């Protein structure tokens, strides 16, 4: 493809993307294909001779689009939204046009410096404390591919920091550059005694990070009475038990806005407990809900002040609710040395004059991988094009839709809200009102809701996901409806709710028939 062919194909590509977006609300949200649908259509090997680009891009429409689940559909309510915007699509195109692995400042100074600037914009917009800003010279932020990458990186930083604290407790002196080099003997003695903590509602990223480090993960229990928030007292008990057994706490994952129900852990309580344990690092995972700090009226309920006071690191995904096309996970730390002392491995070929002089950031030292994508353009375009006001308006839309839907569900005689609505997330279940003759047992309710979910799942025009909560030795099967889509209106929410209601009635009708027999 030469420049002129690219020009033409590029215009055509944008045209077809525009067509896609102008009809997206009319197509079913879920892909209507069976496993293997694409593998069966495609040749087993790459073509020997090059093909016409028109044909290739035609096959994108013909073969790929049918297998796409439309996350940008206004009727997408599963998981959490993964919003895309035209601004970020164009940014990705520009980024691809100057593609480079960006690991050092010298790779492309703009990549590093734009990232420093927009991550700070993002952090300031959310009200994160100055300590998390790069301009503090001590803390700072970096864009990662996912909240899982951020949490894993935090775990590496936490482990090294814990081993440095232990080294210092055992009398290891600082070296000439002021750092503590962890002796092998300390690694051997304590490296395998470290323990990670989270709750049973912590995203699987917690257990996965622990698994990758080869260390245990304690999923501390939470209860419906505490609205599934992790409490300081329960963390304290878990830690005390491990310490008695000769183990060492080194990392707690606290969540602001859990995936299941949007619960917010008691950050200050946990932080106070951790004061007793200087080896411990507190990472706050706010992958979904963190962007809502852009709305000052939600900062208190989402415990921003506590995060600012107690967290060592913080992560939120602008690629979920935050209008930035996947991937854009913001990871901020209060002390950048926690990252660089754990991840800076510099062979001679990666050295540069600017880095040696300490005047620039080399982001490879802030993450596990060496190379990295130029993601900051996306966030730059989005924040400039929407402005803080536009960004806030988008968040408010999702929250308002959730509040409106919550009113409808509250008045329903066949459904109940299970946990308090959290921002744009509603967790509900089918529950016939007690005016029905027989009291329905919890087990029966779970079967009814599983039935409802199966019925919804077999349709292509709605997409919701389930969750299972634990309460008093019992499981509660629930359905989640996550709003906040870029193009979703309340009409779209209502359309899906009407389908849920009528499927719910079908389930109850079938159940009453069985009960009558
Ligand atoms: C979505 C989500 C994650 C996972 O995010 P990735 O970026 O896909 O790793 C982690 N934690 C919470 C609370 C989430 O909602």
């Amino acid at each position: 493809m030469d420049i002129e062919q690219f020009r033409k194909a590029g215009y055509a590509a944008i045209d077809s993307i525009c067509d896609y977006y102008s009809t997206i609300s009319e197509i079913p949200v879920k892909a209507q294909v069976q496993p293997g649908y694409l593998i069966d259509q495609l040749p087993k090997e790459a073509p020997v001779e090059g093909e016409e680009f028109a044909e290739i891009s035609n096959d994108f429409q013909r073969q790929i689009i049918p297998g796409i689940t439309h996350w940008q559909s206004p009727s997408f309510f599963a998981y959490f939204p993964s919003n895309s915007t035209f601004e970020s699509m164009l940014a990705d195109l520009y980024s691809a046009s100057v593609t480079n692995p960006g690991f050092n400042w010298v790779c492309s100074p703009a990549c590093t410096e734009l990232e420093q600037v927009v991550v700070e914009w993002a952090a300031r917009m959310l009200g994160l404390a100055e300590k998390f800003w790069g301009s503090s010279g001590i803390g700072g932020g970096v864009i990662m591919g996912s909240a899982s990458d951020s949490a894993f990186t935090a775990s590496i930083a936490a482990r090294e920091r814990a081993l440095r604290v232990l080294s210092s407790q055992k009398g290891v002196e600082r070296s000439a550059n002021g750092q503590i080099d962890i002796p092998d003997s300390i690694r051997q003695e304590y490296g395998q005694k470290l323990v990670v903590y989270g709750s049973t509602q912590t995203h699987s990223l917690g257990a996965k990070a622990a698994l990758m480090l080869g260390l245990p993960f304690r999923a501390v229990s939470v209860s419906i009475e505490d609205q599934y928030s992790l409490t300081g007292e329960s963390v304290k008990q878990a830690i005390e038990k491990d310490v008695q057994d000769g183990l060492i706490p080194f990392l707690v994952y606290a969540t602001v806005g859990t995936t299941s129900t949007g619960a917010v852990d008691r950050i200050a309580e946990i932080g106070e407990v951790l004061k007793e344990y200087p080896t411990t690092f507190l990472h706050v995972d706010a992958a979904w809900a963190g962007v809502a700090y852009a709305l000052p009226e939600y900062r208190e309920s989402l415990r921003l002040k506590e995060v600012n006071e107690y967290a060592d690191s913080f992560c939120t995904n602008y690629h979920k609710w935050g209008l930035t096309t996947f991937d854009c996970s913001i990871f901020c730390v209060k002390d950048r040395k926690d990252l660089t002392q754990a991840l800076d491995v510099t062979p001679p070929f990666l050295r540069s004059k600017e880095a040696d002089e300490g005047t620039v950031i080399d982001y490879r030292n802030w993450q596990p991988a060496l190379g990295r994508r130029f993601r900051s353009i996306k966030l730059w375009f989005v924040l400039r094009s929407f402005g803080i006001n536009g960004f806030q308006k988008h968040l408010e839309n999702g929250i308002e839709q959730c509040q409106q839907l919550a009113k409808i569900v509250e008045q329903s005689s066949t459904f109940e809200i299970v946990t308090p609505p959290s921002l744009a997330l509603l967790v509900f279940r089918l529950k016939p009102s007690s005016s029905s003759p027989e009291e329905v047992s919890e087990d029966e309710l779970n079967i009814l809701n599983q039935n409802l979910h199966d019925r919804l799942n077999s349709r292509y025009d709605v997409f919701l996901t389930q969750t299972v909560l634990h309460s008093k030795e019992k499981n509660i099967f629930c359905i989640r409806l996550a709003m906040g889509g870029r193009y979703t209106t309340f009409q779209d929410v209502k359309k899906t709710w009407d389908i849920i209601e009528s499927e719910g009635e079908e389930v109850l009708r079938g159940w009453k028939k069985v009960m009558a027999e």
Side-chain angles (χ1 to χ4, degrees), residues 18 44 195 256 402 427 433 489:
C18 292
K44 296 278 170 275
V195 184
V256 168
C402 183
V427 181
S433 70
T489 63

Side-chain angles (χ1 to χ4, degrees), residues 32-97:
Q32 306 181 49
V33 296
Q34 298 304 313
Y37 96 95
L38 184 61
I39 296 168
D40 293 344
Q41 284 182 61
L42 297 182
K44 296 278 170 275
E45 289 186 53
V48 176
E49 301 293 340
E51 301 175 55
E52 280 302 312
F53 191 75
E55 202 166 312
I56 304 169
S57 68
N58 200 26
D59 284 346
F60 175 78
Q61 304 300 332
R62 205 170 56 85
Q63 298 178 309
I64 304 302
I65 289 287
I68 292 295
T69 291
H70 303 285
W71 285 66
Q72 306 314 313
S73 161
S75 296
F76 185 96
F77 299 112
Y79 310 103
F80 281 124
S82 180
N83 284 317
S84 191
T85 47
F86 298 124
E87 289 86 343
S88 4
M89 282 183 238
L90 291 172
D92 260 349
L93 195 57
Y94 282 126
S95 158
S97 74

Side-chain angles (χ1 to χ4, degrees), residues 5 7 176 183 189 232 268 316 323 326 368 378 418 473 486 517:
Q5 286 168 326
R7 196 188 301 277
E189 191 171 351
T316 190
L323 296 171
F326 189 87
K378 292 190 281 200
V418 181
E473 315 288 306
R486 165 84 177 97
E517 276 163 13

Side-chain angles (χ1 to χ4, degrees), residues 176-187:
N177 63 7
Q179 289 188 19
I180 290 182
D181 297 320
I182 303 159
D184 285 346
S185 58
I186 296 279
R187 276 187 199 281

Side-chain angles (χ1 to χ4, degrees), residues 80 145-149 201-205 255-260 285-289 315 317 319-320 326 329 480:
F80 281 124
S146 69
S148 308
D149 289 347
Q201 296 294 309
T202 300
H203 188 274
S204 54
L205 56 70
T255 309
V256 168
T258 58
T259 315
S260 265
D285 173 24
W288 163 65
C315 167
N317 286 346
H319 66 237
K320 278 185 165 168
F326 189 87
S329 180
R480 300 163 69 263

Side-chain angles (χ1 to χ4, degrees), residues 21 23-27 29 70-78 397-398 401-402 404-405 408 461-464 481-501:
Y21 273 87
T23 54
I24 195 168
S25 60
E26 292 148 35
I27 46 180
V29 55
H70 303 285
W71 285 66
Q72 306 314 313
S73 161
S75 296
F76 185 96
F77 299 112
N397 283 343
Q401 289 169 15
C402 183
Q404 256 182 293
L405 179 62
I408 295 177
D461 56 348
V462 285
F463 194 16
L464 299 128
L481 203 155
M483 285 147 278
R486 165 84 177 97
Y487 303 104
T488 302
T489 63
F490 187 69
Q491 273 180 334
D492 300 305
V493 175
K494 185 66 172 43
K495 199 169 83 191
T496 286
W497 181 254
D498 289 344
I499 294 172
I500 297 168
E501 259 197 325

